[in-house]
Amino acid sequence: MKRVLIVGAGPTGLTTGIELARQGIIPEVIDKKQRSSSLSRAVGILPHSMRLLEPSGAAQEITKEGFVVSKVRFYWNETFFTAVDFREYLRERDLRIVALPQDKTESVLTQVFSRFGGEVQYKTQLSELYQENGGVRVVVNGVEKHFDYVVGADGIRSTVRNLCGIKFEGYDLDEDWSICDLYSKESQLVTDFHLFIKKGKTGVAMIPLEPKRIRLISNTPDALQEVPINLEVDHVRRSGAFKIPIRQAVEYKKGNVLLAGDAAHSQSPVGGRGMNLGIADAVALARGLINDDLDDYHQVRHKVGKDVIRLTERARKLVFHGNSLQKYLLLILFSLISKVGVLRKLFVQGFIDQKL
């Protein structure tokens, strides 16, 4: 029986734990938070992620909790321009985006992990880590423990990564981004994805989380103020500004320590790939541990992460930083896609069902 410590109980750490536990390896999962998070960073769960979560039953539970996004609406400033409607494809399981706030996704994954015998230890912090004698010695809440493997799924500021001296190469974007998680009034339900492409170097996305709950994200200090249409706000659950690091760990595997999710890579939220990429890392890592085959974990997952960072940066620069002509031409392209069935399906397949 392998002894595995997973540091971090977000979607990546929990998915790793589930995949190990259902094969009989019950890992120890710790998180320094006081309790499970009530906040939500990521939203959309892509079809590839749902396929990876099916064997454990987590996908079925997420489907019950969430709802399927069926349309993307594009605006030029405050004026509606076009919409890509993919309701005709919703019977195809592989072409569905399920919207569910990350805190609720984590709740589902925690329950599934528990069914397989796992338990998350909150208020538990890793402070020291040493690799020796073919294993890993750690200090957790002042107590020394020994494991065969340690998985760092503890986010952008990963303690595991830092203790191992693994470089997190890249850069931080100069501008402030902002997020706003709010509830709309009863009279205004938002169930479609809205993208406001604006003149100049700004933009804002409106993403449905659940009935009456909306996520706004913008490359400005105040996402709510950036919305160019009348939004009937009941109350704001959470708002704030943040910086975006565009970085990647130079090593996903160092000895018997492995990195996954945001501890291994960080990219902009454009395209909604972050959590989904972490889930794919987790499943690949767990399979490698179960099959004693981790030799290519770094090579394969690092390449995928690098490709995702490159694509999301290209999209971010075009949608949020392109000049007015480039942005307008992009809207014309989306208008063409919305009107031509073949192009619409290619767009849906390429954007939604990207293999991570």
Side-chain angles (χ1 to χ4, degrees):
M1 178 71 72
K2 293 184 179 73
R3 295 166 298 167
V4 180
L5 172 67
I6 299 173
V7 183
T12 300
L14 289 168
T15 300
T16 308
I18 288 169
E19 290 303 297
L20 290 174
R22 72 185 189 87
Q23 297 295 334
I25 300 174
I26 310 296
E28 192 167 317
V29 179
I30 65 172
D31 199 298
K32 64 183 180 181
K33 296 194 300 288
Q34 294 294 307
R35 61 187 66 84
S36 60
S37 177
S38 61
L39 303 176
S40 176
R41 292 178 62 235
V43 180
I45 305 166
L46 299 175
H48 183 60
S49 298
M50 294 293 277
R51 287 195 295 273
L52 294 175
L53 294 171
E54 273 184 359
S56 66
Q60 294 85 331
E61 295 299 320
I62 288 170
T63 300
K64 291 178 186 176
E65 293 282 337
F67 68 93
V68 177
V69 179
S70 60
K71 186 184 296 184
V72 182
R73 299 172 64 87
F74 296 93
Y75 292 77
W76 179 236
N77 294 309
E78 73 281 356
T79 305
F80 173 72
F81 195 94
T82 191
V84 178
D85 189 336
F86 37 88
R87 282 176 293 184
E88 63 188 289
Y89 308 121
L90 295 186
R91 292 183 181 178
E92 302 181 42
R93 183 185 60 178
D94 290 347
L95 297 178
R96 298 175 183 171
I97 297 179
V98 178
L100 187 66
Q102 182 175 323
D103 53 325
K104 294 197 172 183
T105 300
E106 289 180 8
S107 177
V108 168
L109 294 175
T110 300
Q111 292 171 32
V112 174
F113 183 44
S114 178
R115 281 185 217 145
F116 287 106
E119 181 183 3
V120 178
Q121 301 174 36
Y122 291 105
K123 296 184 287 187
T124 306
Q125 189 163 359
L126 173 74
S127 58
E128 298 178 43
L129 182 154
Y130 310 94
Q131 298 206 55
E132 55 190 25
N133 302 321
V136 189
R137 177 168 59 91
V138 301
V139 176
V140 175
N141 280 5
V143 178
E144 185 174 285
K145 295 185 175 185
H146 294 79
F147 294 91
D148 297 309
Y149 293 92
V150 171
V151 176
D154 50 343
I156 294 172
R157 297 178 181 85
S158 171
T159 298
V160 173
R161 188 187 65 235
N162 291 335
L163 288 174
C164 286
I166 298 173
K167 292 181 180 179
F168 201 40
E169 293 186 343
Y171 54 92
D172 298 338
L173 299 182
D174 291 333
E175 74 267 24
D176 286 330
W177 283 61
S178 57
I179 193 171
C180 183
D181 190 341
L182 61 87
Y183 285 91
S184 63
K185 292 184 177 179
E186 192 73 38
S187 58
Q188 189 177 43
L189 297 178
V190 176
T191 57
D192 299 330
F193 186 103
H194 293 60
L195 182 60
F196 299 92
I197 297 177
K198 306 181 75 174
K199 293 179 180 177
K201 304 293 185 181
T202 66
V204 60
M206 181 189 299
I207 307 159
L209 296 175
E210 55 185 332
K212 295 190 294 179
R213 186 177 172 189
I214 302 165
R215 157 69 46 76
L216 303 174
I217 189 164
S218 174
N219 64 330
T220 64
D222 189 338
L224 182 56
Q225 186 174 341
E226 191 68 16
V227 177
I229 62 172
N230 181 40
L231 190 58
E232 299 175 6
V233 179
D234 184 77
H235 68 277
V236 173
R237 179 186 175 101
R238 172 201 181 199
S239 64
F242 60 94
K243 293 286 189 182
I244 295 179
I246 309 299
R247 296 181 178 275
Q248 190 173 25
V250 297
E251 299 173 275
Y252 281 27
K253 180 181 183 295
K254 188 171 184 178
N256 284 24
V257 175
L258 303 115
L259 302 179
D262 290 349
H265 44 73
S266 173
Q267 58 283 319
S268 84
V270 176
R273 293 302 190 259
M275 178 177 67
N276 292 279
L277 184 57
I279 289 171
D281 288 342
V283 173
L285 190 158
R287 287 173 180 168
L289 279 171
I290 291 161
N291 297 321
D292 290 315
D293 184 16
L294 288 164
D295 292 343
D296 64 351
Y297 173 72
H298 164 78
Q299 181 180 357
V300 172
R301 298 311 304 168
H302 187 275
K303 181 183 184 304
V304 175
K306 186 176 181 179
D307 289 344
V308 169
I309 289 171
R310 185 183 69 254
L311 290 171
T312 54
E313 275 301 276
R314 188 181 299 167
R316 177 188 67 82
K317 290 173 183 177
L318 180 59
V319 173
F320 290 96
H321 290 278
N323 60 47
S324 295
L325 177 59
Q326 289 173 321
K327 290 183 174 185
Y328 199 77
L329 290 174
L330 180 64
L331 284 169
I332 292 173
L333 174 61
F334 284 130
S335 180
L336 181 63
I337 288 170
S338 71
K339 293 177 173 63
V340 180
V342 174
L343 292 178
R344 189 164 61 250
K345 186 159 188 178
L346 287 173
F347 169 76
V348 172
Q349 288 175 326
F351 177 74
I352 294 178
D353 199 24
Q354 181 183 5
K355 306 297 188 295
L356 299 174

